[in-house]
Amino acid sequence: MSREDVLAIRTYLLAQPPISQPQPRNILPFPFNQRWTVALWKLANLHTGSFTPDRNRTAAWNRGAYLVEVLGHCGACHTPRNATFGMDEDHKLAGGTAGIWQAFNITSDKIAGVGGWSNEELSRFLKTGAVPGKAYAGGPMAETVMNSLQHLSDDDIQAIVAYLRDVPAQSGDEKQPRFSWGNAATVDGDAGTEGMTQGSGTAAGDDLYRSLCSTCHGANGGGSSDGSYPSLTRNSTPGAATPEDVAMTILEGVKAGDVAGRKSMAAFGGWLDDGQVAALANYVTARFGNPDVSVTAADIRQMRAGSTTGQTIMVLAAQSLVACAAVLMLGLLLLLARRLRRRTSSVRLMSAHRDRR
Ligand code: HEC
Ligand code: HEC
Protein backbone atom coordinates (compact mmCIF):
# COMPACT_ATOMS: atom_id res chain seq x y z
CA MET A 1 0.00 0.00 0.00
CA SER A 2 1.10 3.57 -0.48
CA ARG A 3 2.25 5.29 2.72
CA GLU A 4 -0.56 7.81 2.25
CA ASP A 5 -3.23 5.06 2.24
CA VAL A 6 -1.75 3.30 5.29
CA LEU A 7 -1.79 6.57 7.24
CA ALA A 8 -5.35 7.33 6.12
CA ILE A 9 -6.53 3.96 7.48
CA ARG A 10 -4.66 4.57 10.73
CA THR A 11 -6.33 7.97 11.12
CA TYR A 12 -9.73 6.38 10.51
CA LEU A 13 -9.13 3.57 13.04
CA LEU A 14 -7.93 5.95 15.74
CA ALA A 15 -11.09 8.04 15.27
CA GLN A 16 -13.36 5.06 16.14
CA PRO A 17 -14.88 4.82 19.64
CA PRO A 18 -12.92 2.42 21.89
CA ILE A 19 -14.50 -1.00 22.56
CA SER A 20 -13.38 -3.33 25.32
CA GLN A 21 -13.69 -6.89 24.04
CA PRO A 22 -12.08 -10.08 25.41
CA GLN A 23 -9.78 -11.86 22.97
CA PRO A 24 -11.56 -14.91 21.43
CA ARG A 25 -10.00 -18.30 22.15
CA ASN A 26 -7.70 -19.68 19.44
CA ILE A 27 -9.58 -22.66 17.97
CA LEU A 28 -7.23 -23.49 15.08
CA PRO A 29 -6.03 -27.12 15.05
CA PHE A 30 -2.34 -27.87 15.78
CA PRO A 31 0.11 -26.86 14.22
CA PHE A 32 -1.83 -23.86 12.89
CA ASN A 33 -2.46 -22.56 16.44
CA GLN A 34 1.27 -21.93 16.87
CA ARG A 35 1.85 -18.24 16.32
CA TRP A 36 5.60 -18.57 15.71
CA THR A 37 4.94 -20.68 12.59
CA VAL A 38 3.77 -17.46 10.90
CA ALA A 39 7.45 -16.41 10.87
CA LEU A 40 8.21 -19.46 8.68
CA TRP A 41 5.25 -18.63 6.44
CA LYS A 42 6.54 -15.10 6.02
CA LEU A 43 9.98 -16.39 4.99
CA ALA A 44 8.35 -18.31 2.15
CA ASN A 45 5.56 -15.95 1.13
CA LEU A 46 5.93 -12.37 2.32
CA HIS A 47 6.95 -9.95 -0.40
CA THR A 48 7.82 -6.54 0.99
CA GLY A 49 8.20 -3.34 -0.99
CA SER A 50 5.55 -1.04 -2.36
CA PHE A 51 3.40 -1.09 -5.47
CA THR A 52 5.20 0.39 -8.47
CA PRO A 53 3.06 1.58 -11.39
CA ASP A 54 3.93 0.25 -14.85
CA ARG A 55 4.90 3.24 -17.01
CA ASN A 56 3.89 1.45 -20.21
CA ARG A 57 0.28 1.16 -19.08
CA THR A 58 -2.57 3.63 -18.79
CA ALA A 59 -3.39 5.34 -15.50
CA ALA A 60 -6.68 3.38 -15.35
CA TRP A 61 -4.84 0.04 -15.72
CA ASN A 62 -2.42 0.96 -12.94
CA ARG A 63 -5.23 2.11 -10.69
CA GLY A 64 -7.02 -1.20 -11.41
CA ALA A 65 -3.86 -3.17 -10.61
CA TYR A 66 -3.53 -1.32 -7.28
CA LEU A 67 -7.20 -1.97 -6.43
CA VAL A 68 -7.17 -5.67 -7.43
CA GLU A 69 -3.72 -6.67 -6.15
CA VAL A 70 -3.44 -4.43 -3.11
CA LEU A 71 -6.55 -2.82 -1.61
CA GLY A 72 -9.18 -5.28 -2.90
CA HIS A 73 -6.95 -8.35 -2.34
CA CYS A 74 -9.15 -10.24 -4.82
CA GLY A 75 -6.39 -12.88 -4.99
CA ALA A 76 -6.82 -13.81 -1.32
CA CYS A 77 -9.93 -15.68 -2.47
CA HIS A 78 -9.54 -15.97 -6.26
CA THR A 79 -5.89 -17.14 -6.50
CA PRO A 80 -5.06 -20.78 -5.70
CA ARG A 81 -2.60 -21.48 -2.84
CA ASN A 82 0.82 -23.11 -3.10
CA ALA A 83 2.15 -25.89 -0.85
CA THR A 84 2.98 -23.39 1.91
CA PHE A 85 -0.44 -21.68 1.64
CA GLY A 86 0.94 -18.60 -0.05
CA MET A 87 -0.73 -17.25 -3.20
CA ASP A 88 0.39 -19.15 -6.29
CA GLU A 89 1.39 -16.13 -8.39
CA ASP A 90 1.92 -18.28 -11.51
CA HIS A 91 -1.82 -18.91 -11.49
CA LYS A 92 -2.97 -15.46 -10.55
CA LEU A 93 -6.79 -15.20 -10.14
CA ALA A 94 -7.23 -18.69 -11.66
CA GLY A 95 -9.72 -19.71 -8.93
CA GLY A 96 -9.30 -20.30 -5.20
CA THR A 97 -11.35 -20.91 -2.11
CA ALA A 98 -12.95 -18.82 0.62
CA GLY A 99 -13.79 -21.36 3.32
CA ILE A 100 -15.97 -23.92 1.56
CA TRP A 101 -16.98 -21.47 -1.19
CA GLN A 102 -15.21 -21.66 -4.54
CA ALA A 103 -14.07 -18.24 -5.76
CA PHE A 104 -14.12 -18.81 -9.51
CA ASN A 105 -11.43 -18.21 -12.11
CA ILE A 106 -11.67 -14.50 -13.06
CA THR A 107 -8.79 -14.39 -15.56
CA SER A 108 -9.45 -13.36 -19.17
CA ASP A 109 -9.94 -17.01 -20.27
CA LYS A 110 -13.11 -17.24 -22.41
CA ILE A 111 -14.22 -20.60 -20.97
CA ALA A 112 -12.85 -20.94 -17.44
CA GLY A 113 -12.59 -17.22 -16.67
CA VAL A 114 -14.65 -14.11 -17.36
CA GLY A 115 -13.30 -13.46 -20.89
CA GLY A 116 -16.82 -14.03 -22.23
CA TRP A 117 -18.35 -11.21 -20.15
CA SER A 118 -18.75 -7.69 -21.58
CA ASN A 119 -17.16 -4.73 -19.77
CA GLU A 120 -20.62 -3.53 -18.88
CA GLU A 121 -21.53 -6.90 -17.30
CA LEU A 122 -18.34 -7.01 -15.25
CA SER A 123 -18.87 -3.46 -13.96
CA ARG A 124 -22.45 -4.25 -13.07
CA PHE A 125 -21.42 -7.41 -11.21
CA LEU A 126 -18.83 -5.56 -9.13
CA LYS A 127 -21.18 -2.68 -8.36
CA THR A 128 -24.34 -4.71 -7.59
CA GLY A 129 -23.44 -8.43 -7.44
CA ALA A 130 -26.25 -9.30 -9.84
CA VAL A 131 -26.08 -9.76 -13.61
CA PRO A 132 -29.08 -11.74 -14.96
CA GLY A 133 -27.92 -14.26 -17.53
CA LYS A 134 -24.38 -14.38 -16.10
CA ALA A 135 -23.96 -14.53 -12.34
CA TYR A 136 -25.11 -13.53 -8.86
CA ALA A 137 -22.70 -12.94 -6.00
CA GLY A 138 -23.37 -15.29 -3.08
CA GLY A 139 -21.43 -16.08 0.12
CA PRO A 140 -18.16 -14.19 0.60
CA MET A 141 -18.56 -12.40 -2.76
CA ALA A 142 -21.94 -11.01 -1.64
CA GLU A 143 -20.14 -9.63 1.43
CA THR A 144 -17.38 -8.17 -0.76
CA VAL A 145 -19.94 -6.34 -2.89
CA MET A 146 -22.12 -5.33 0.07
CA ASN A 147 -19.35 -4.03 2.36
CA SER A 148 -16.92 -2.76 -0.18
CA LEU A 149 -17.26 -2.78 -3.97
CA GLN A 150 -20.72 -1.14 -4.13
CA HIS A 151 -19.15 1.97 -2.55
CA LEU A 152 -16.45 2.41 -5.21
CA SER A 153 -16.64 5.26 -7.70
CA ASP A 154 -17.51 4.38 -11.31
CA ASP A 155 -13.95 5.27 -12.31
CA ASP A 156 -12.51 2.77 -9.85
CA ILE A 157 -14.92 0.05 -11.02
CA GLN A 158 -13.88 0.68 -14.61
CA ALA A 159 -10.22 0.60 -13.59
CA ILE A 160 -10.72 -2.85 -12.03
CA VAL A 161 -12.42 -4.06 -15.22
CA ALA A 162 -9.58 -2.68 -17.39
CA TYR A 163 -7.05 -4.59 -15.27
CA LEU A 164 -9.08 -7.86 -15.13
CA ARG A 165 -9.36 -7.85 -18.93
CA ASP A 166 -5.59 -8.06 -19.05
CA VAL A 167 -4.91 -10.76 -16.45
CA PRO A 168 -3.30 -13.66 -18.40
CA ALA A 169 -5.86 -16.37 -19.29
CA GLN A 170 -5.66 -19.58 -17.23
CA SER A 171 -7.67 -22.61 -18.28
CA GLY A 172 -9.57 -24.85 -15.84
CA ASP A 173 -11.91 -27.84 -15.59
CA GLU A 174 -14.80 -26.09 -17.37
CA LYS A 175 -15.87 -27.48 -20.76
CA GLN A 176 -18.02 -24.47 -21.53
CA PRO A 177 -18.46 -21.12 -19.76
CA ARG A 178 -20.14 -21.43 -16.34
CA PHE A 179 -22.87 -18.99 -17.37
CA SER A 180 -23.76 -20.85 -20.58
CA TRP A 181 -25.46 -23.95 -19.12
CA GLY A 182 -29.19 -24.63 -19.18
CA ASN A 183 -31.53 -23.87 -22.04
CA ALA A 184 -32.88 -20.39 -22.49
CA ALA A 185 -34.93 -19.72 -19.41
CA THR A 186 -38.65 -19.39 -19.74
CA VAL A 187 -40.09 -16.80 -17.43
CA ASP A 188 -41.95 -18.54 -14.63
CA GLY A 189 -45.09 -20.28 -15.76
CA ASP A 190 -45.65 -23.61 -14.14
CA ALA A 191 -47.57 -24.92 -17.15
CA GLY A 192 -46.19 -27.71 -19.34
CA THR A 193 -42.85 -26.44 -20.59
CA GLU A 194 -41.40 -29.93 -20.07
CA GLY A 195 -38.19 -30.45 -21.98
CA MET A 196 -37.14 -26.81 -21.68
CA THR A 197 -34.27 -27.70 -19.39
CA GLN A 198 -31.52 -30.21 -20.01
CA GLY A 199 -31.44 -33.06 -17.44
CA SER A 200 -34.14 -34.31 -15.12
CA GLY A 201 -32.72 -34.89 -11.64
CA THR A 202 -34.26 -37.37 -9.20
CA ALA A 203 -37.91 -37.50 -8.12
CA ALA A 204 -36.89 -36.62 -4.56
CA GLY A 205 -35.05 -33.54 -5.86
CA ASP A 206 -38.02 -32.62 -8.03
CA ASP A 207 -40.44 -32.79 -5.06
CA LEU A 208 -38.20 -30.66 -2.88
CA TYR A 209 -37.53 -28.13 -5.64
CA ARG A 210 -41.24 -27.70 -6.43
CA SER A 211 -42.22 -27.19 -2.81
CA LEU A 212 -39.27 -25.07 -1.61
CA CYS A 213 -37.66 -23.25 -4.52
CA SER A 214 -39.98 -22.90 -7.49
CA THR A 215 -42.06 -20.05 -6.01
CA CYS A 216 -39.06 -17.75 -6.46
CA HIS A 217 -36.87 -19.44 -9.08
CA GLY A 218 -39.71 -20.76 -11.26
CA ALA A 219 -40.60 -24.36 -12.12
CA ASN A 220 -38.20 -24.19 -15.04
CA GLY A 221 -35.52 -22.26 -13.20
CA GLY A 222 -36.26 -19.06 -15.11
CA GLY A 223 -36.49 -16.78 -12.06
CA SER A 224 -38.62 -13.64 -12.09
CA SER A 225 -38.88 -11.45 -15.16
CA ASP A 226 -37.06 -8.51 -13.50
CA GLY A 227 -34.19 -10.79 -12.45
CA SER A 228 -34.55 -10.02 -8.73
CA TYR A 229 -35.26 -13.74 -8.18
CA PRO A 230 -32.42 -15.13 -10.22
CA SER A 231 -32.69 -17.51 -13.11
CA LEU A 232 -30.84 -20.75 -12.27
CA THR A 233 -30.11 -21.42 -15.93
CA ARG A 234 -27.45 -19.15 -17.45
CA ASN A 235 -26.09 -18.68 -13.93
CA SER A 236 -22.44 -19.30 -13.11
CA THR A 237 -23.10 -20.91 -9.70
CA PRO A 238 -25.12 -23.95 -10.91
CA GLY A 239 -22.95 -23.96 -14.06
CA ALA A 240 -19.62 -24.22 -12.21
CA ALA A 241 -17.35 -27.28 -12.41
CA THR A 242 -17.61 -27.68 -8.62
CA PRO A 243 -20.76 -28.24 -6.50
CA GLU A 244 -19.79 -26.29 -3.35
CA ASP A 245 -21.38 -22.92 -4.15
CA VAL A 246 -24.82 -24.38 -4.99
CA ALA A 247 -24.74 -26.51 -1.82
CA MET A 248 -23.60 -23.56 0.31
CA THR A 249 -26.33 -21.33 -1.17
CA ILE A 250 -28.94 -23.90 -0.07
CA LEU A 251 -27.34 -24.27 3.39
CA GLU A 252 -26.65 -20.59 4.09
CA GLY A 253 -28.93 -18.65 1.72
CA VAL A 254 -27.78 -15.34 0.20
CA LYS A 255 -27.42 -12.15 2.21
CA ALA A 256 -27.55 -9.51 -0.48
CA GLY A 257 -27.86 -6.74 2.12
CA ASP A 258 -28.66 -3.20 1.14
CA VAL A 259 -27.42 -3.39 -2.44
CA ALA A 260 -29.86 -1.66 -4.80
CA GLY A 261 -32.67 -3.85 -6.14
CA ARG A 262 -31.36 -7.12 -4.72
CA LYS A 263 -33.30 -9.47 -2.51
CA SER A 264 -31.93 -12.01 -0.06
CA MET A 265 -32.58 -15.75 0.05
CA ALA A 266 -33.34 -17.62 3.30
CA ALA A 267 -30.99 -20.34 4.58
CA PHE A 268 -32.41 -23.88 4.29
CA GLY A 269 -29.62 -25.62 6.25
CA GLY A 270 -31.57 -25.56 9.53
CA TRP A 271 -34.48 -27.64 8.36
CA LEU A 272 -33.23 -29.94 5.61
CA ASP A 273 -31.10 -33.02 6.32
CA ASP A 274 -27.87 -33.79 4.46
CA GLY A 275 -29.58 -36.15 2.02
CA GLN A 276 -32.24 -33.54 1.13
CA VAL A 277 -29.63 -30.81 0.56
CA ALA A 278 -27.63 -33.17 -1.67
CA ALA A 279 -30.79 -34.18 -3.62
CA LEU A 280 -31.67 -30.50 -4.17
CA ALA A 281 -28.14 -29.47 -5.19
CA ASN A 282 -27.93 -32.40 -7.63
CA TYR A 283 -31.35 -31.53 -9.06
CA VAL A 284 -30.32 -27.89 -9.61
CA THR A 285 -27.04 -28.76 -11.36
CA ALA A 286 -28.61 -31.57 -13.43
CA ARG A 287 -31.54 -29.51 -14.70
CA PHE A 288 -30.24 -25.97 -14.82
CA GLY A 289 -26.45 -26.08 -14.56
CA ASN A 290 -23.47 -28.34 -15.18
CA PRO A 291 -24.91 -31.91 -15.14
CA ASP A 292 -21.45 -33.47 -14.59
CA VAL A 293 -21.34 -32.02 -11.09
CA SER A 294 -22.80 -33.78 -8.05
CA VAL A 295 -22.51 -34.05 -4.27
CA THR A 296 -23.25 -36.76 -1.70
CA ALA A 297 -24.91 -36.50 1.71
CA ALA A 298 -21.48 -37.16 3.24
CA ASP A 299 -20.04 -34.12 1.38
CA ILE A 300 -22.86 -31.98 2.78
CA ARG A 301 -22.19 -33.23 6.32
CA GLN A 302 -18.55 -32.18 5.94
CA MET A 303 -19.53 -28.76 4.55
CA ARG A 304 -21.79 -28.17 7.53
CA ALA A 305 -18.87 -29.02 9.81
CA GLY A 306 -16.96 -26.24 8.06
CA SER A 307 -14.39 -28.20 6.08
CA THR A 308 -13.89 -30.06 2.85
CA THR A 309 -12.17 -33.43 2.41
CA GLY A 310 -9.22 -31.53 0.94
CA GLN A 311 -8.94 -29.30 4.00
CA THR A 312 -9.14 -32.28 6.39
CA ILE A 313 -6.37 -33.98 4.41
CA MET A 314 -4.33 -30.74 4.60
CA VAL A 315 -4.60 -30.58 8.42
CA LEU A 316 -3.69 -34.29 8.74
CA ALA A 317 -0.74 -33.80 6.35
CA ALA A 318 0.56 -30.82 8.36
CA GLN A 319 0.19 -32.79 11.60
CA SER A 320 2.04 -35.80 10.22
CA LEU A 321 4.75 -33.48 8.86
CA VAL A 322 5.21 -32.01 12.35
CA ALA A 323 5.20 -35.52 13.86
CA CYS A 324 7.84 -36.72 11.34
CA ALA A 325 9.98 -33.64 12.04
CA ALA A 326 9.70 -34.29 15.80
CA VAL A 327 10.70 -37.97 15.40
CA LEU A 328 13.63 -36.93 13.17
CA MET A 329 14.80 -34.36 15.73
CA LEU A 330 14.54 -36.91 18.55
CA GLY A 331 16.55 -39.41 16.49
CA LEU A 332 19.26 -36.84 15.81
CA LEU A 333 19.45 -35.87 19.49
CA LEU A 334 19.79 -39.54 20.54
CA LEU A 335 22.54 -40.06 17.96
CA LEU A 336 24.35 -36.95 19.18
CA ALA A 337 24.05 -38.05 22.83
CA ARG A 338 25.43 -41.51 21.95
CA ARG A 339 28.40 -40.01 20.13
CA LEU A 340 29.22 -37.71 23.06
CA ARG A 341 28.99 -40.60 25.50
CA ARG A 342 31.28 -42.73 23.33
CA ARG A 343 33.82 -39.90 23.05
CA THR A 344 33.88 -39.21 26.81
CA SER A 345 34.28 -42.93 27.58
CA SER A 346 37.20 -43.28 25.11
CA VAL A 347 38.82 -40.18 26.67
CA ARG A 348 38.37 -41.81 30.07
CA LEU A 349 39.91 -45.05 28.78
CA MET A 350 42.90 -43.18 27.37
CA SER A 351 43.58 -41.32 30.60
CA ALA A 352 43.25 -44.57 32.62
CA HIS A 353 45.84 -46.11 30.28
CA ARG A 354 48.21 -43.14 30.84
CA ASP A 355 47.80 -43.35 34.63
CA ARG A 356 48.72 -47.04 34.59
CA ARG A 357 51.91 -46.27 32.70
C1 HEC B 1 -13.73 -13.02 0.48
C2 HEC B 1 -13.48 -13.72 -0.75
C3 HEC B 1 -13.57 -12.93 -2.04
C4 HEC B 1 -12.97 -11.73 -2.35
C5 HEC B 1 -12.09 -10.86 -1.46
C6 HEC B 1 -13.32 -11.44 -3.72
N1 HEC B 1 -14.11 -12.44 -4.23
FE1 HEC B 1 -14.96 -12.49 -6.10
N2 HEC B 1 -15.92 -14.23 -5.64
C7 HEC B 1 -15.80 -14.92 -4.45
C8 HEC B 1 -16.68 -16.07 -4.48
C9 HEC B 1 -16.85 -17.10 -3.37
C10 HEC B 1 -17.34 -16.06 -5.74
C11 HEC B 1 -18.41 -17.03 -6.24
C12 HEC B 1 -19.75 -16.49 -5.74
C13 HEC B 1 -20.94 -17.36 -5.95
O1 HEC B 1 -20.81 -18.56 -6.22
O2 HEC B 1 -22.05 -16.85 -5.81
C14 HEC B 1 -16.83 -14.88 -6.45
C15 HEC B 1 -17.24 -14.48 -7.72
C16 HEC B 1 -16.68 -13.43 -8.46
C17 HEC B 1 -16.99 -13.13 -9.84
C18 HEC B 1 -17.98 -13.87 -10.72
C19 HEC B 1 -17.32 -14.98 -11.49
C20 HEC B 1 -18.28 -15.89 -12.16
O3 HEC B 1 -17.92 -16.48 -13.18
O4 HEC B 1 -19.41 -16.02 -11.67
C21 HEC B 1 -16.22 -12.03 -10.19
C22 HEC B 1 -16.18 -11.34 -11.54
C23 HEC B 1 -15.45 -11.66 -9.02
N3 HEC B 1 -15.75 -12.53 -7.98
C24 HEC B 1 -14.54 -10.62 -8.97
C25 HEC B 1 -13.85 -10.22 -7.83
C26 HEC B 1 -12.96 -9.07 -7.78
C27 HEC B 1 -12.60 -8.17 -8.96
C28 HEC B 1 -12.51 -8.98 -6.49
C29 HEC B 1 -11.60 -7.92 -5.87
C30 HEC B 1 -12.02 -6.55 -6.01
C31 HEC B 1 -13.11 -10.08 -5.74
N4 HEC B 1 -13.91 -10.81 -6.59
C32 HEC B 1 -12.88 -10.32 -4.39
C33 HEC B 1 -15.02 -14.56 -3.35
C34 HEC B 1 -14.28 -13.37 -3.24
C1 HEC C 1 -38.05 -16.38 -1.24
C2 HEC C 1 -37.47 -16.55 -2.53
C3 HEC C 1 -36.43 -17.67 -2.72
C4 HEC C 1 -36.58 -19.02 -2.46
C5 HEC C 1 -37.80 -19.73 -1.85
C6 HEC C 1 -35.36 -19.64 -2.88
N1 HEC C 1 -34.49 -18.72 -3.38
FE1 HEC C 1 -32.67 -19.09 -4.21
N2 HEC C 1 -32.36 -17.11 -4.43
C7 HEC C 1 -33.26 -16.10 -4.08
C8 HEC C 1 -32.59 -14.82 -4.16
C9 HEC C 1 -33.25 -13.47 -3.88
C10 HEC C 1 -31.26 -15.08 -4.57
C11 HEC C 1 -30.09 -14.12 -4.70
C12 HEC C 1 -30.30 -12.94 -5.55
C13 HEC C 1 -29.08 -12.09 -5.59
O1 HEC C 1 -27.99 -12.59 -5.32
O2 HEC C 1 -29.25 -10.93 -5.92
C14 HEC C 1 -31.16 -16.53 -4.76
C15 HEC C 1 -30.03 -17.18 -5.24
C16 HEC C 1 -29.95 -18.53 -5.49
C17 HEC C 1 -28.87 -19.20 -6.19
C18 HEC C 1 -27.67 -18.52 -6.84
C19 HEC C 1 -26.65 -18.14 -5.83
C20 HEC C 1 -25.40 -17.56 -6.45
O3 HEC C 1 -24.47 -17.34 -5.70
O4 HEC C 1 -25.35 -17.33 -7.65
C21 HEC C 1 -29.14 -20.55 -6.20
C22 HEC C 1 -28.29 -21.66 -6.78
C23 HEC C 1 -30.41 -20.71 -5.51
N3 HEC C 1 -30.88 -19.47 -5.12
C24 HEC C 1 -31.03 -21.93 -5.30
C25 HEC C 1 -32.19 -22.08 -4.55
C26 HEC C 1 -32.74 -23.36 -4.15
C27 HEC C 1 -32.15 -24.73 -4.51
C28 HEC C 1 -33.88 -23.11 -3.45
C29 HEC C 1 -34.80 -24.09 -2.77
C30 HEC C 1 -34.21 -24.81 -1.64
C31 HEC C 1 -34.03 -21.67 -3.39
N4 HEC C 1 -33.00 -21.09 -4.07
C32 HEC C 1 -35.12 -21.02 -2.78
C33 HEC C 1 -34.56 -16.28 -3.69
C34 HEC C 1 -35.11 -17.49 -3.30
Side-chain angles (χ1 to χ4, degrees):
M1 282 172 69
S2 70
R3 192 178 158 75
E4 227 167 67
D5 285 348
V6 173
L7 291 177
I9 289 179
R10 181 174 182 273
T11 308
Y12 174 79
L13 287 177
L14 292 185
Q16 302 310 303
I19 298 171
S20 170
Q21 166 105 341
Q23 209 60 268
R25 208 165 55 83
N26 186 342
I27 54 165
L28 287 170
F30 182 82
F32 302 108
N33 58 1
Q34 302 297 304
R35 239 166 211 283
W36 61 268
T37 56
V38 176
L40 298 181
W41 186 87
K42 279 177 157 181
L43 272 181
N45 298 300
L46 181 69
H47 312 295
T48 51
S50 54
F51 174 80
T52 35
D54 183 341
R55 282 158 174 273
N56 299 321
R57 305 285 191 163
T58 61
W61 188 95
N62 276 305
R63 176 73 182 156
Y66 184 64
L67 289 169
V68 168
E69 305 284 348
V70 185
L71 295 186
H73 54 84
C74 314
C77 297
H78 285 279
T79 297
R81 302 269 158 182
N82 61 27
T84 54
F85 314 121
M87 282 194 271
D88 175 1
E89 294 295 343
D90 293 337
H91 296 96
K92 189 183 283 191
L93 302 180
T97 53
I100 309 288
W101 289 82
Q102 301 296 308
F104 303 134
N105 180 328
I106 53 169
T107 66
S108 54
D109 193 86
K110 283 219 157 41
I111 293 174
V114 291
W117 295 41
S118 70
N119 286 353
E120 205 278 323
E121 287 167 336
L122 268 175
S123 312
R124 184 164 170 199
F125 183 84
L126 297 174
K127 192 85 187 164
T128 67
V131 183
K134 282 277 179 320
Y136 287 78
M141 191 65 201
E143 282 173 27
T144 305
V145 172
M146 185 166 60
N147 298 330
S148 173
L149 299 178
Q150 67 155 324
H151 302 295
L152 293 189
S153 68
D154 290 346
D155 284 351
D156 278 349
I157 294 279
Q158 260 137 46
I160 292 180
V161 172
Y163 179 73
L164 284 184
R165 285 275 171 245
D166 218 31
V167 172
Q170 302 270 354
S171 56
D173 294 336
E174 285 84 351
K175 283 188 262 165
Q176 63 182 72
R178 284 182 291 281
F179 60 78
S180 67
W181 291 96
N183 293 320
T186 47
V187 173
D188 193 8
D190 212 341
T193 31
E194 262 19 87
M196 290 305 290
T197 48
Q198 50 202 17
S200 56
T202 61
D206 192 55
D207 274 352
L208 286 165
Y209 183 83
R210 278 176 197 283
S211 53
L212 299 176
C213 324
S214 63
T215 37
C216 294
H217 293 293
N220 294 299
S224 61
S225 53
D226 66 352
S228 60
Y229 293 123
S231 162
L232 298 180
T233 56
R234 314 268 154 183
N235 178 328
S236 71
T237 300
T242 47
E244 283 85 359
D245 292 9
V246 170
M248 290 303 284
T249 301
I250 298 170
L251 288 172
E252 294 186 344
V254 178
K255 293 175 202 74
D258 54 356
V259 183
R262 285 185 67 193
K263 296 189 173 68
S264 292
M265 170 177 147
F268 288 86
W271 39 291
L272 293 177
D273 66 28
D274 298 337
Q276 289 172 313
V277 174
L280 262 173
N282 291 335
Y283 180 82
V284 167
T285 52
R287 275 197 80 200
F288 313 126
N290 183 342
D292 298 339
V293 165
S294 65
V295 280
T296 64
D299 295 332
I300 303 292
R301 187 170 350 111
Q302 202 145 37
M303 290 181 203
R304 281 193 209 261
S307 70
T308 59
T309 312
Q311 286 164 343
T312 311
I313 290 172
M314 195 179 78
V315 169
L316 289 177
Q319 285 172 345
S320 21
L321 206 76
V322 171
C324 285
V327 167
L328 210 76
M329 288 282 273
L330 206 73
L332 278 175
L333 277 176
L334 280 176
L335 212 74
L336 207 74
R338 239 232 212 119
R339 276 237 170 127
L340 275 176
R341 217 181 311 131
R342 209 179 289 157
R343 191 178 293 167
T344 43
S345 59
S346 63
V347 167
R348 229 181 286 130
L349 251 168
M350 266 160 60
S351 56
H353 190 65
R354 208 172 37 221
D355 289 352
R356 230 179 292 143
R357 280 207 306 189

